[in-house]
Amino acid sequence: MERRASLVGRDDHVGVVADALRPAGTARTLLVTGEAGAGKTAVLDEARHTAVRAGAKVLRLPWETATGPSGAATLADAVCGVLAEVQHGRFLAHITTVRRAQSRSGDGGELTLLSTLGETLADAARHVPFALVLDGAERMPPPTASALQLMLRVFRPAGLPVVMAGRPVPRGPADAPDLATAADRVLDLPPLRPEDVGELVGQRLGRPAEPALLAAVRRSLGPLSGNPAAVLSVLTALDEDDGLIGLDGRICLAGREDELRLTVDAEPLRRVTADGTDAAVVLAGLLHRAELRLEDLHSLIPACAVLAADLGRTVDRLVRERALTVDGDGRLAFAVPALAAALRTLPSRREVRSVHAAVVRTVAERLGPATTGACHPLLADHVAAAGPALNDGVAVPLLLAAAAKDARSYHPRAARAYLSALRRLPPNYPATLGVLREAAELGLGCGDHTGVLALGEPILAGLRDPGPTDGGGLEFATLAWGLSALHEHRSPYDAGAVPREVCARMPRAAMLAALGGWYGIGPLPPRPPSAEPAPDSGRLRDGHGPLPSRAELRTLAAAVGGHEELARAVHGLQREDGGAAAIGRLRDAAAYGDLAGALDAVLGERSVRADHSAAGRYHAMVRDYLAGRWDDALSAARGIERRGGACGGPGTSQLARALAAEIHCFRGDLVRAREWLDRIPGTVVHPLVARARLGVRYWSGQQDAALEEAWHDVRRARGSGLLTGAERVLLRILEFAEETRPRQARQALEQLAALHAEADTAMTREALLIARGVLDRDADGAHDAYRSAERRGDRHMMLYCCQVLAEVGDDPQPWLAEAARHTHLLSLGRPGRVLLDRSAQRRNVPLPRGRSAREGLSEADVRLIGMVGEGGTNRQIAARLACSEKTVEQRLARLFQRTGRRSRVELVAAWLDGSLAGLGPGPDVPPGGAAGAGPGPARPAAERAGGTRGVH
């Protein structure tokens, strides 16, 4: 039979219990304790299986099935059941002896019965060695537990191992039975460690889990985050709710984190609802939408005495059971958010909205709405949750006063208050439009782009019937909505809040909507960007506040085109604070469709925060991609995809998909690369998408079709005005066509020269220099390109420069070694090996050899040694590295061979005492030095990275 997998995080505990179940010459009693769901039964079952496999006989003491009165009689029935299970002729007499003693126990002979049970079990264990296990000890009736305690302490059955499992018994009366006093050893099961939880989740889902999913599960469980049963309950609920999606070989969270819940049969939920569900469900609903304090419950008493008393009793009980917490200010909160989410799914006879309204009325009737909002701004969330249960005369003044108070201290609640007030106010009133502008300014100021997008409904209501006293509020809100839509990678046209006819009245809004097309968000505008000024009847002042001016919008759009258009647009800015460096950053960002980076380059300190928006995440992904942190870049791509929906919903970045496909392609995983590309609609026109498609198709064996389609993509992008980024597509065409299609390679060089003359960016110059290095063997130009890519921090381009210099430079060895180092850091696959092999063969030099023990340890090696030092098993390490256990064994074997160590202990000890310090990864220094004119001597061996892989 196949060997059963060990329990996650419980290997040591299983070993202790299995040892206790083996035959022994003396009595040995072990008590396994742990909170509900800690895995006591699983440990007991696994240890029993291990002991039986080793030849031991383990029997279960069936106390639950015993009938009749509890106490020693129940224990006698259970012992007779055990003896009957062992087929031995001598045991029939033992059963008769026990039954005879049991019949006399009613006359005060309970001690005699217990003595007989101990002697009988000891004699049976001498003839047929076996062990007893007893589960659910906390459910045992007190008389039975007391009898068992007395038997194990006083009448111990010699030579019989006994293992019991149960929850810790709370302190009770002094005479209450406590089985821990009868045990020789108590084994407490602690919560699982975070890495064990990750392994458990991966084991349950069948695939590695995204770190964001693991973090969300831990946060949703709070103090139960290390409880195996609670973790599995949340995962089961996610399956039931279709809350998981597979991305890139990993499992990710599809819904919102606050929706993670326990299943309805989870023990913590059953314990909370044991005394009724209504009050607990109402409490969970109240705390989900607003803060609640003890004083709020007290204030409910005059208006809702019965409800307040019911809620009060429920709060008292849940606080005693530690399901509810109360902080120093009296704020209530569920200790386990997943428990509160589960309660919210249960039906209730009371409507939560009316309770929210009652909480507000008790204060507003005493202080007045406006004063209540100013003095108690947290009540704004109760107003929003109450909805129509509160009239507008109370709700609107309270919301506006609370928003004004919170705008300086707590932005999220102020934004919610503004939105709730706008949904109640009539459109096109001067006061309404003023509130709309305040809400939009607040959202942009704190980077809450999702909150600004929520203003779409009142914005659209105002746009349908614009009032004469706008004062710029509606226009500002409309532009803010458009900017936030782009930050969330949504097209303002497609989302519906800014209809196309509005753009005819607001040219600046039209420019903003069109900007997304140039950065891979929504459809491309019908014509290339123009640097000529456009008239605008708007009332907003340019160059002030967080919104880009008309000149800045023209600059952002012109950055994707020719240098003459960009020069005219920059001249229109009429300021000198941009500089060449800012324009260079703008061009680099435009090449990758990095809107957040482009806005930072143009707006500077006025640029709104984008940390948590889709654009901000993509900006971080581009930085990681260029720096060679490709694992982090892939994680960011999965986060963007999960955030926007798995089926191309709002917030999805087509360019993030293209970059993810490119990474997988050059790591040799064409299946995942094609999965990412298949998510990109064929209508998307951007050089970054064309570049990824070319690589995936070419390495999939479709060379002719790949090159033909790439030429078509280049013509389509250039015809649409997208010049930046096209140079990398042309350079890749040249790279693939160089050997077998020289005419196409020469044509790509000519196109690169024309593109550089038109666009004139650092990237077009690098591509042109590298192309001349390949076809014209211009080593000096290729080295200039290397230094330029190094200044930009583009590790992928640096790698290709190294490969070209290995072919055309004077000394190929240092450049091949440098290419191998970049290849290792990027973890490239077959495409890199093919191109690196070709470079070495052309110069008739050997490839850089694999690393030996003296050639240094990579960052991945150091990380692996660290996990070994933490005591991680192969299974745990494989789960953290998202690989198989066999891969971990192979990597460890190579480490043993290279370092000369023979075991994990020796390897970790050598690392800790500094014996391997000289083998650490070397600094990132180019072969020719930081500013050298050509390649220098070969790198020391300790700076090389193994492998024979490299790629453009």
Side-chain angles (χ1 to χ4, degrees):
M1 295 180 62
E2 183 180 352
R3 182 183 182 277
R4 289 170 45 166
S6 59
L7 293 178
V8 174
R10 299 296 190 211
D11 292 348
D12 295 340
H13 306 97
V14 169
V16 171
V17 177
D19 288 341
L21 291 174
R22 293 189 176 94
T26 59
R28 184 170 53 195
T29 304
L30 173 68
L31 175 63
V32 181
T33 64
E35 297 297 334
K40 301 179 292 298
T41 300
V43 168
L44 210 59
D45 290 344
E46 184 66 21
R48 180 180 179 181
H49 178 82
T50 302
V52 169
R53 195 170 53 211
K57 191 175 188 64
V58 182
L59 302 176
R60 183 172 174 271
L61 188 68
W63 64 268
E64 304 99 326
T65 59
T67 58
S70 58
T74 297
L75 195 59
D77 289 342
V79 169
C80 288
V82 169
L83 295 176
E85 190 176 343
V86 181
Q87 295 181 1
H88 193 279
R90 185 183 181 88
F91 288 0
L92 184 59
H94 285 326
I95 295 176
T96 303
T97 302
V98 171
R99 291 305 186 190
R100 187 179 297 116
Q102 185 178 4
S103 66
R104 295 195 297 266
S105 64
D107 300 328
E110 186 171 293
L111 292 179
T112 302
L113 175 58
L114 294 177
S115 175
T116 302
L117 291 177
E119 293 172 358
T120 301
L121 288 172
D123 185 68
R126 282 195 296 271
H127 289 86
V128 181
F130 67 95
L132 279 183
V133 295
L134 182 152
D135 198 6
E138 77 282 353
R139 302 193 307 272
M140 186 176 285
T144 306
S146 179
L148 179 62
Q149 176 189 10
L150 188 59
M151 186 188 79
L152 293 178
R153 292 184 63 183
V154 180
F155 309 106
R156 307 189 73 177
L160 177 67
V162 179
V163 175
M164 304 175 290
R167 299 181 202 170
V169 179
R171 289 187 178 181
D175 57 347
D178 184 4
L179 291 176
T181 62
D184 299 307
R185 178 179 178 184
V186 176
L187 177 65
D188 185 59
L189 299 184
L192 295 181
R193 298 175 300 176
E195 55 267 29
D196 294 330
V197 172
E199 184 180 355
L200 177 63
V201 172
Q203 186 183 87
R204 164 67 173 77
L205 300 177
R207 278 187 285 176
E210 183 71 10
L213 170 60
L214 298 178
V217 170
R218 288 196 296 267
R219 285 193 293 267
S220 72
L221 290 173
L224 294 181
S225 61
N227 186 288
V231 172
L232 294 175
S233 177
V234 169
L235 295 179
T236 301
L238 280 171
D239 273 343
E240 295 173 354
D241 300 337
D242 294 327
L244 297 171
I245 58 172
L247 285 175
D248 216 14
R250 291 175 175 265
I251 298 296
C252 306
L253 182 66
R256 290 171 20 188
E257 183 177 329
D258 62 357
E259 295 174 348
L260 267 64
R261 64 175 179 88
L262 295 170
T263 51
V264 293
D265 60 344
E267 196 276 340
L269 181 61
R270 286 188 281 108
R271 189 169 65 244
V272 166
T273 58
D275 294 339
T277 62
D278 271 2
V281 171
V282 169
L283 195 60
L286 286 170
L287 294 175
H288 180 55
R289 298 292 302 275
E291 288 185 3
L292 193 69
R293 306 190 186 202
L294 292 176
E295 63 186 43
D296 297 326
L297 296 180
H298 296 317
S299 64
L300 278 176
I301 294 176
C304 313
V306 176
L307 174 62
D310 203 5
L311 286 176
R313 285 192 297 270
T314 301
V315 167
D316 291 341
R317 178 172 64 87
L318 295 184
V319 169
R320 284 196 305 269
E321 295 175 358
R322 299 182 180 178
L324 206 64
T325 62
V326 184
D327 67 9
D329 293 330
R331 279 189 292 261
L332 299 172
F334 277 90
V336 179
L339 171 61
L343 285 170
R344 294 196 298 270
T345 65
L346 300 178
S348 173
R349 293 191 300 271
R350 293 192 179 100
E351 186 180 8
V352 179
R353 278 187 172 184
S354 61
V355 184
H356 282 293
V359 170
V360 175
R361 286 196 195 97
T362 55
V363 183
E365 290 174 357
R366 178 166 48 89
L367 300 178
T371 305
T372 298
C375 298
H376 303 280
L378 64 87
L379 291 179
D381 284 337
H382 287 281
V383 174
L390 271 178
N391 64 67
D392 293 346
V394 174
V396 172
L398 192 154
L399 288 169
L400 294 180
K405 180 70 176 294
D406 274 336
R408 297 186 297 272
S409 57
Y410 190 60
H411 294 162
R413 190 166 58 216
R416 294 193 296 268
Y418 274 131
L419 178 60
S420 183
L422 286 168
R423 287 173 175 166
R424 293 172 178 267
L425 287 168
N428 296 324
Y429 277 34
T432 303
L433 299 177
V435 171
L436 190 60
R437 174 160 187 158
E438 290 175 11
E441 286 181 336
L442 177 67
L444 289 182
C446 62
D448 180 17
H449 299 289
T450 303
V452 176
L453 290 181
L455 301 174
E457 184 180 342
I459 290 174
L460 187 57
L463 291 173
R464 289 195 184 107
D465 183 20
T469 56
D470 179 2
L474 183 59
E475 183 180 2
F476 183 94
T478 304
L479 293 174
W481 193 98
L483 182 61
S484 289
L486 295 182
H487 268 286
E488 292 297 339
H489 282 179
R490 305 184 186 187
S491 170
Y493 288 142
D494 296 341
V498 184
R500 292 180 183 272
E501 57 268 18
V502 170
C503 296
R505 302 200 308 264
M506 296 182 186
R508 190 168 166 191
M511 295 174 68
L512 187 60
L515 181 65
W518 305 119
Y519 287 82
I521 306 169
L524 276 171
R527 56 186 177 81
S530 172
E532 296 301 325
D536 196 344
S537 59
R539 309 180 185 185
L540 303 179
R541 296 175 60 194
D542 277 353
H544 297 80
L547 297 176
S549 67
R550 294 186 297 276
E552 288 164 342
L553 287 172
R554 286 192 294 271
T555 302
L556 288 164
V560 304
H563 69 92
E564 292 183 359
E565 295 172 352
L566 181 60
R568 290 196 299 269
V570 171
H571 180 72
L573 291 178
Q574 297 180 349
R575 64 172 188 262
E576 302 296 332
D577 57 349
I583 298 304
R585 294 197 306 273
L586 173 62
R587 288 293 233 176
D588 290 347
Y592 283 91
D594 178 10
L595 179 67
L599 287 168
D600 285 342
V602 172
L603 299 182
E605 295 181 354
R606 289 171 41 227
S607 181
V608 298
R609 289 168 50 191
D611 303 342
H612 302 293
S613 68
R617 292 167 185 256
Y618 180 64
H619 177 61
M621 180 184 180
V622 171
R623 289 202 313 266
D624 288 332
Y625 171 81
L626 293 174
R629 298 185 293 268
W630 282 9
D631 289 332
D632 293 338
L634 287 174
S635 180
R638 291 190 292 269
I640 294 171
E641 191 74 12
R642 181 191 66 79
R643 200 166 182 268
C647 300
T652 298
S653 172
Q654 309 299 346
L655 303 188
R657 290 170 169 174
L659 270 186
E662 167 129 327
I663 292 172
H664 281 304
C665 173
F666 291 110
R667 284 184 164 180
D669 192 343
L670 296 177
V671 173
R672 288 185 181 170
R674 283 191 290 268
E675 288 176 355
W676 280 106
L677 276 183
D678 289 345
R679 295 175 180 271
I680 304 176
T683 55
V684 175
V685 180
H686 197 280
L688 189 58
V689 177
R691 173 173 137 192
R693 284 176 179 152
L694 171 58
V696 173
R697 288 172 179 167
Y698 185 89
W699 291 109
S700 297
Q702 308 170 34
Q703 285 88 351
D704 292 335
L707 291 170
E708 181 180 352
E709 187 66 26
W711 281 115
H712 172 71
D713 287 340
V714 169
R715 288 191 296 270
R716 188 167 59 156
R718 295 196 65 180
S720 301
L722 287 168
L723 303 185
T724 56
E727 70 284 343
R728 292 292 285 268
V729 186
L730 289 169
L731 184 60
R732 189 160 292 169
I733 291 174
L734 183 147
E735 173 190 348
F736 292 155
E738 176 199 355
E739 283 193 334
T740 59
R741 302 168 181 83
R743 290 183 59 186
Q744 286 198 41
R746 185 60 62 176
Q747 182 184 359
L749 175 60
E750 294 171 357
Q751 291 284 332
L752 275 171
L755 180 64
H756 178 60
E758 189 175 356
D760 190 18
T761 70
M763 295 176 68
T764 58
R765 179 175 177 273
E766 290 168 15
L768 181 59
L769 290 174
I770 294 174
R772 287 172 177 167
V774 173
L775 297 184
D776 301 336
R777 305 191 66 79
D778 181 1
D780 291 339
H783 196 271
D784 287 346
Y786 177 91
R787 289 198 298 266
S788 175
E790 185 182 31
R791 285 192 297 270
R792 291 192 305 106
D794 190 339
R795 189 177 291 276
H796 202 197
M797 182 63 91
M798 292 167 64
L799 168 60
Y800 190 46
C801 292
C802 290
Q803 290 179 253
V804 173
L805 286 165
E807 296 185 25
V808 303
D810 295 334
D811 184 3
Q813 288 288 8
W815 293 111
L816 282 174
E818 177 73 0
R821 187 176 70 88
H822 289 303
T823 296
H824 174 72
L825 291 174
L826 297 175
S827 300
L828 299 188
R830 176 180 170 272
R833 290 195 297 272
V834 170
L835 297 176
L836 196 60
D837 287 346
R838 186 179 68 184
S839 299
Q841 289 171 3
R842 287 179 173 178
R843 296 302 298 269
N844 195 26
V845 295
L847 285 169
R849 299 177 60 187
R851 289 168 295 164
S852 66
R854 297 180 180 179
E855 287 182 313
L857 300 176
S858 68
E859 294 178 4
D861 293 333
V862 173
R863 184 183 176 200
L864 177 59
I865 295 173
M867 286 187 279
V868 171
E870 293 171 358
T873 63
N874 283 0
R875 176 189 294 267
Q876 293 168 336
I877 295 173
R880 292 174 64 181
L881 297 180
C883 63
S884 67
E885 293 183 60
K886 185 176 181 181
T887 300
V888 175
E889 292 175 1
Q890 291 171 346
R891 289 182 57 185
L892 283 173
R894 288 196 294 267
L895 272 175
F896 293 150
Q897 182 180 5
R898 289 169 48 215
T899 59
R901 269 63 185 181
R902 296 173 295 180
S903 68
R904 293 168 173 249
V905 174
E906 289 186 10
L907 181 66
V908 175
W911 178 254
L912 293 177
D913 65 19
S915 302
L916 304 182
L919 304 180
D924 293 344
V925 181
R939 279 179 175 273
E943 293 183 13
R944 296 185 201 143
T948 58
R949 299 173 291 179
V951 71
H952 159 53

